[in-house]
Amino acid sequence: MATLVVYFSAEGTTAKVAKDLAVSIGADLYEIKPEKPYSAADIKWTNPLSRCNREKFGKKDVPVSGKVQGFEKYDTVAVGFPIWYGCAPNVVNTFCKGYNWSGKKVYAFATSGGSGIGKTAEKLQPYVKGAVSVDAKLVHSAGEAASWIG
C-alpha cells in the first residue's frame, strides 16, 4: 500500500510543510483546491463578514476542484491544513466527504499562527467515516510531521 499527503494551504505555510513531508516519507502529494480560490480578504477572520467566517458559522460545504485518482490504493493519508476556529477549514471537510476512508490511517497535521490543535481529530472524524484511526497534531515543520507519521 501507499501513503498520500493531501493539503489545503491558504497562505503557503501548510503547502511548504506538506511538500517537504511528502518528499521525506516518499508519499504522493495532492493539493486540495476550492473551486473559488480564497483571496486575502476572504480569510481575514477578524472581519465578521469575511468568506471564512460565513462558511464556518454557516456550516457550509465549500466545493472542491479536482479529485484524487486511485484514492483506494492508499492505506495512510496525511491531511494538512491551517487551523481555522480550532479545526479544519470547511474546504477540507468537503474534500474528505468525497472519499471512502474505510481501513485507512488518517494523520491530520495542522499549522497555526497561534491556535492549538484543540479537538481537531474529533471534529474531523465524521468526515473520514470508516478510518481505522484519526490522529491530529500541530506541527511547525515537515520533520516534526515525518517523525510522528513515520
Side-chain angles (χ1 to χ4, degrees), residues 44-105:
K44 190 164 179 70
W45 62 271
T46 55
N47 174 355
L49 300 177
S50 69
R51 177 178 167 195
C52 67
N53 284 324
R54 291 192 320 270
E55 288 173 356
K56 187 50 76 179
F57 298 116
K59 297 180 173 53
K60 296 179 186 277
D61 277 350
V62 177
V64 176
S65 176
K67 195 96 171 134
V68 174
Q69 299 303 310
F71 188 77
E72 63 283 346
K73 75 180 176 187
Y74 300 104
D75 60 339
T76 301
V77 182
V79 183
F81 48 85
I83 288 284
W84 286 7
Y85 310 97
C87 57
N90 290 20
V91 67
V92 173
N93 296 338
T94 304
F95 168 85
C96 290
K97 289 196 299 191
Y99 297 91
N100 178 354
W101 295 86
S102 294
K104 298 185 187 315
K105 289 182 188 167

Side-chain angles (χ1 to χ4, degrees), residues 1-7 21-22 25 27-32 68-81 92 95-96 99-109 124 127-128 131-137 145 148-150:
M1 294 295 262
T3 299
L4 175 66
V5 174
V6 299
Y7 71 94
L21 172 62
I25 64 173
D28 292 338
L29 183 69
Y30 184 84
E31 181 179 3
I32 300 169
V68 174
Q69 299 303 310
F71 188 77
E72 63 283 346
K73 75 180 176 187
Y74 300 104
D75 60 339
T76 301
V77 182
V79 183
F81 48 85
V92 173
F95 168 85
C96 290
Y99 297 91
N100 178 354
W101 295 86
S102 294
K104 298 185 187 315
K105 289 182 188 167
V106 177
Y107 293 91
F109 65 96
L124 189 62
Y127 301 101
V128 294
V132 173
S133 62
V134 180
D135 199 5
K137 183 174 183 155
W148 169 55
I149 295 168

